[in-house]
Amino acid sequence: QVHLAESGGGLVQAGDSLRLSCAVSGRTFRSYTMGWFRQAPGKERVFVAAINGGGVNTYYADSVKGRFTISRDNTKNALYLQMSSLKPEDTGVYYCARSTTYYYSANMNFAYWGQGTQVTVSS
């Protein structure tokens, strides 16, 4: 049984920063690639960032490169997304997800999802 719980969302202004957190249940957190996704109102869910099991390799959508940083603390079973220079187009529900493999690859499967946390960026 896998449970993910996001937190840290809120209402901010353009240019502000925000840090999202995700707590993951289980003893095998360090074995899996983790990811962040977001879904804007009326749009499909899209990939934002991912980090491999050991936290050495990270991957980002072009739209957030240079502004967002994904990280993890395997001693705390926690995943983070530090968001800087936020833009109104970053608005959406952000989801934490867990894959079924240690290494990241394009179009990989993320089998487990959190409930999401709302991020709203005003202009």
Side-chain angles (χ1 to χ4, degrees):
Q1 187 175 84
V2 178
H3 179 71
L4 299 86
E6 303 96 334
S7 62
L11 174 63
V12 297
Q13 293 181 304
D16 284 353
S17 297
L18 198 63
R19 175 179 283 258
L20 305 183
S21 299
C22 175
V24 186
S25 66
R27 295 182 176 181
T28 59
F29 175 74
R30 67 175 62 188
S31 298
Y32 301 102
T33 287
M34 299 292 298
W36 287 99
F37 295 76
R38 69 187 181 194
Q39 185 171 18
K43 298 182 179 180
E44 296 183 348
R45 183 175 60 201
V46 298
F47 171 80
V48 174
I51 186 168
N52 76 345
V56 175
N57 300 108
T58 58
Y59 309 86
Y60 299 92
D62 289 342
S63 60
V64 306
K65 285 182 178 178
R67 299 189 298 118
F68 290 13
T69 301
I70 187 171
S71 62
R72 67 193 299 161
D73 186 341
N74 288 343
T75 67
K76 299 180 179 179
N77 284 5
L79 177 74
Y80 306 100
L81 184 68
Q82 178 65 50
M83 304 183 291
S84 300
S85 301
L86 283 163
K87 305 174 181 179
E89 50 263 45
D90 293 319
T91 293
V93 177
Y94 282 69
Y95 298 90
C96 173
R98 202 209 81 180
S99 76
T100 58
T101 60
Y102 185 92
Y103 298 102
Y104 172 84
S105 63
N107 302 312
M108 70 184 301
N109 181 48
F110 287 87
Y112 306 99
W113 299 82
Q115 81 286 354
T117 185
Q118 177 70 44
V119 173
T120 302
V121 184
S122 62
S123 60

